[in-house]
Amino acid sequence: EVQLVESGGGLVQAGGSLRLSCAASGFTFDDYAIGWFRQAPGKEREGVSCINRRDGSTYYADSVKGRFTISSDNAKNTVYLEMNSLKPEDTADYYCAALTGTVVAVPHFYGMDYWGNGTRVTVSS
């Protein structure tokens, strides 16, 4: 059974940084991608970033390019999202999700096969 567990959320002032972690387990295949999504109150869940396990290729939403960095430690089966220069509009519940196969862009949330329970990020102004 695939499990994804997020951690690292919290309260931070605008301009600050946070690092989210997604611990993955239960994969019986090597070809998958893990992405970070976020959902603010009253808004649709949106893709933030994604990484392919096979070759480490990464993709970002325009709203976070240059500020967020996704990375993977395959030995630990953990994917990280380093978030810098945080803005109040980054406030949301952040979820990691996985899909089998590879991606060539940040996928839409309905394309993901597995989800974690989320971690909340609050950026104060």
Side-chain angles (χ1 to χ4, degrees), residues 27-76:
F27 287 99
T28 59
F29 42 87
D30 292 330
D31 205 7
Y32 59 88
I34 291 185
W36 286 96
F37 295 75
R38 66 186 182 187
Q39 187 165 20
K43 293 190 176 181
E44 186 177 83
R45 191 169 296 189
E46 64 172 348
V48 174
S49 183
C50 200
I51 185 168
N52 285 314
R53 188 183 189 279
R54 172 179 286 187
D55 63 3
S57 51
T58 59
Y59 305 91
Y60 297 93
D62 288 343
S63 58
V64 305
K65 277 182 184 175
R67 300 189 299 123
F68 291 11
T69 302
I70 191 170
S71 62
S72 175
D73 184 335
N74 289 343
K76 295 182 178 180

Side-chain angles (χ1 to χ4, degrees), residues 78-93:
T78 300
V79 171
Y80 304 98
L81 185 69
E82 185 75 34
M83 306 186 295
N84 299 315
S85 303
L86 282 162
K87 305 175 181 180
E89 51 263 44
D90 294 317
T91 295
D93 291 325

Side-chain angles (χ1 to χ4, degrees), residues 1-12:
E1 177 186 2
V2 173
Q3 288 192 325
L4 302 169
V5 180
E6 303 96 333
S7 61
L11 173 64
V12 64

Side-chain angles (χ1 to χ4, degrees), residues 17 27 55 66 84 87 90 92-95 98 104 112 116 123 125:
S17 299
F27 287 99
D55 63 3
N84 299 315
K87 305 175 181 180
D90 294 317
D93 291 325
Y94 283 71
Y95 301 86
V104 294
M112 307 306 288
V123 184
S125 57

